[in-house]
Amino acid sequence: MQHALVNVSVATLQELSDQFIEYGYSVRGHSKWTMRTRQSHLRAFVAYCTLQGITEIDQVNHYVIDQFFVEYTKTRSQNTANTARRVLKVFFQWIDGYKETPTKIHTPSIYLVRVKDATPKSLTHEQICTAIKKAKHPQDSLMIAVMFEAGLRISELVNLKVCDVQREVLHIEGKGMMQRTVYDST
């Protein structure tokens, strides 16, 4: 009995990256912002690998990842690089687990770099009042005032609908589609 040789093609990094992004959108239902961030970091990694002549997943090892981050941090902050490290961890875990494709990557060995905690900078009450007064259009003044008073992110303000405003209450859909209510404190 003869056994035919099966030509098993190894998935390319680009194919796996595209599949991972599609999986995040369609199966996991991650937000478009989460997936855009993941896609951006994966594109940078795939582009780096392609420049190094690495196109298949079985060619990627820890040295390749380390060299990618050496280059990556030349033009990006350590916080951004840590986000990319998290993305690569999840990506390789997905390849190994969901795709059942073994890799040379031991994901716990993709370490985050310690970054000094930066204290968030906030505007003073006077700076906010100045911004409100100097806005060119009344709707700009209103948006600045609502953001400041309700503690909204820009994306939350942009997605605010008229039906979300009910007397002294704002119904906000925040990050990760989390719902919260903001009450007028006056």
Side-chain angles (χ1 to χ4, degrees), residues 71-85:
E71 292 302 314
Y72 202 66
T73 54
K74 288 180 180 177
T75 58
R76 292 167 183 89
S77 73
Q78 287 294 351
N79 284 326
T80 300
N82 276 341
T83 300
R85 285 181 175 89

Side-chain angles (χ1 to χ4, degrees), residues 57-73:
I57 195 66
D58 62 351
Q59 296 174 296
V60 178
N61 58 32
H62 284 283
Y63 180 78
V64 171
I65 291 173
D66 289 344
Q67 291 307 303
F68 165 70
F69 282 112
V70 167
E71 292 302 314
Y72 202 66
T73 54

Side-chain angles (χ1 to χ4, degrees), residues 121-132 144 148-149:
K121 294 181 179 148
S122 57
L123 299 174
T124 65
H125 184 69
E126 292 77 27
Q127 290 170 320
I128 296 292
C129 289
T130 301
I132 291 170
I144 295 167
F148 176 69
E149 291 297 326

Side-chain angles (χ1 to χ4, degrees), residues 46 55 76 93 103 129 136 145 172 179:
V46 170
T55 58
R76 292 167 183 89
Q93 287 169 344
T103 68
C129 289
K136 292 183 180 182
I172 308 298
Q179 301 288 325

